[in-house]
Amino acid sequence: MRFRHPDGSIVHLSYCTNVHPAETLDGVRAQLRDHCEPVRRRLGRDRLGIGLWLAREAARVLVNDPAELRALRAELDSRGLEVVTLNGFPYEGFGADEVKYRVYRPDWTEPERLAHTTDLARLLAALLPDDVTEGTISTLPLAWRTPYATDPGAARTARAALTTLAQRLEALAELTGKSIRIGLEPEPGCTVETTADAIAPLTDVGHERIGICIDTCHLATSFEDPDTALDALTAAGIPVVKSQLSAALHAEHPHLPEVRTALAAFAEPRFLHQTRTSTAAGLRGTDDLDEAVAGGALPDSTPWRAHFHVPLHAPPAPPLTSTLPVLRTTLARLVGGPVPLTRHLEVETYTWQALPAELRPRTRTQLADGIAAELTLARDLLVDLGLKELP
């Protein structure tokens, strides 16, 4: 979905296909047929943007076989789908029964991460619509905090990898005329947990093609104030490459038994749900929601937030809620001013099948309805900010 900003530039809205995990190219094609095109039809649009997730295996096939890449591009066009952004965070295995810490490997100290991201940049340059010259890719925020923090050479290795990537992106732009930018995506528990944590490493790299991806669920989980975060990034000259529109799980009164019970329903074995609370002594947290709910690991006199991407249009029932207000505030700053701070927005609720059983979509139809409802909400927010939806 495309929107014209009051300054005349185009802002793209898409939804991320990591909600339909597939490791193979055949699986990706099935996603386009079974999920993405039905969502587009529900929205009544001739064109729908998708934030494509290509696992390592699918990406390698496309890189090694130009005919397969041309065929994918043709299928996107025939189904009324367009790609301006990729989710490069998960490498493989995102559809496994247990993902947890696996999603952070390989990290930016490992050569596989640089190789995969280079592949994705080359593929995105080929998949961009003819009238679009800029693509974006989100990636993990260097590494999970351990063992990175105890390795004296880790920061140097990661910086070198990102510098090499920037050089490759420059060469790709010269070759194709397409500008691909990469955004580190701060996430609780990682080396770069907050936007503030991103400033130093991105300043060290010091390249306009390497910036930040702001995930509004992660921003909220870490209790970051959107205005403070964006002011600091602007002052440091760090570009907001893209933003993922998502909402975290919020518990205002975690000391109450009924709140603990409600939270426990969201603790599940597949994904990591880092949980945080902001205290007078600073941010406190656990790596997963079940650790927090069990008691004793976190102070419970202040609100808790958990890294659980809840549907934008359907916050959980009381006594819980979502951090949709944080998304609204962030979006207003990103695209509500005289000039957009980013032009790529991506709805990223990948946890539909991790929701408590009674909230999960039971059919493809229900899932498509839910994704379409999220995109409708995002569209309405953009229109309210003065952007004009384009055909």
Side-chain angles (χ1 to χ4, degrees), residues 223 251-255 276-280 282 299-305:
F223 287 87
E252 186 68 20
H253 303 293
H255 65 284
R276 298 289 185 266
T277 187
S278 181
T279 72
D300 60 8
S301 59
T302 49
W304 289 2
R305 289 176 179 172

Side-chain angles (χ1 to χ4, degrees), residues 56-318:
R56 180 194 63 84
E57 180 181 340
R60 290 306 301 164
V61 170
L62 291 169
V63 165
N64 291 325
D65 191 337
E68 289 283 17
L69 181 55
R70 289 193 297 270
L72 178 61
R73 170 69 186 268
E75 183 160 2
L76 287 165
D77 291 342
S78 69
R79 296 192 183 280
L81 306 170
E82 66 177 13
V83 176
V84 302
T85 190
L86 299 180
N87 188 329
F89 197 132
Y91 180 75
E92 61 186 356
F94 202 61
D97 291 338
E98 183 177 334
V99 178
K100 298 293 183 179
Y101 295 94
R102 292 172 53 190
V103 75
Y104 306 107
R105 302 294 301 274
D107 62 34
W108 277 101
T109 68
E110 300 171 272
E112 294 85 356
R113 177 59 64 172
L114 173 60
H116 179 58
T117 308
T118 301
D119 284 348
L120 293 180
R122 291 170 177 162
L123 295 174
L124 181 56
L127 292 173
L128 286 176
D130 291 337
D131 62 344
V132 174
T133 59
E134 180 182 294
T136 58
I137 302 172
S138 48
T139 188
L140 86 162
L142 300 185
W144 186 252
R145 66 181 184 276
T146 54
Y148 189 99
T150 58
D151 180 355
R156 181 171 61 254
T157 301
R159 182 172 62 248
L162 289 171
T163 300
T164 298
L165 177 65
Q167 294 167 349
R168 292 177 180 178
L169 296 177
E170 288 289 349
L172 183 64
E174 292 181 10
L175 179 66
T176 66
K178 304 290 188 179
S179 174
I180 307 299
R181 298 195 297 164
I182 308 296
L184 301 185
E185 181 186 333
E187 177 168 314
C190 291
T191 299
V192 175
E193 173 159 338
T194 66
T195 57
D197 294 334
I199 291 175
L202 289 175
T203 300
D204 285 345
V205 174
H207 199 284
E208 64 181 359
R209 297 193 193 280
I210 310 292
I212 193 169
C213 168
I214 293 180
D215 184 302
T216 56
C217 170
H218 302 173
L219 188 83
T221 301
S222 294
F223 287 87
E224 288 197 81
D225 174 70
D227 291 320
T228 301
L230 289 167
D231 286 346
L233 291 171
T234 300
I238 304 298
V240 181
V241 168
K242 65 184 276 190
S243 180
Q244 289 170 329
L245 306 183
S246 53
L249 192 62
H250 180 94
E252 186 68 20
H253 303 293
H255 65 284
L256 296 176
E258 60 268 30
V259 175
R260 294 290 184 97
T261 299
L263 283 170
F266 285 83
E268 52 85 36
R270 186 173 176 188
F271 298 112
L272 207 60
H273 301 295
Q274 303 93 312
T275 304
R276 298 289 185 266
T277 187
S278 181
T279 72
L283 201 64
R284 296 279 302 279
T286 60
D287 281 358
D288 215 343
L289 181 56
D290 55 359
E291 301 171 47
V293 171
L298 278 185
D300 60 8
S301 59
T302 49
W304 289 2
R305 289 176 179 172
H307 172 218
F308 196 120
H309 291 221
V310 295
L312 302 185
H313 69 293

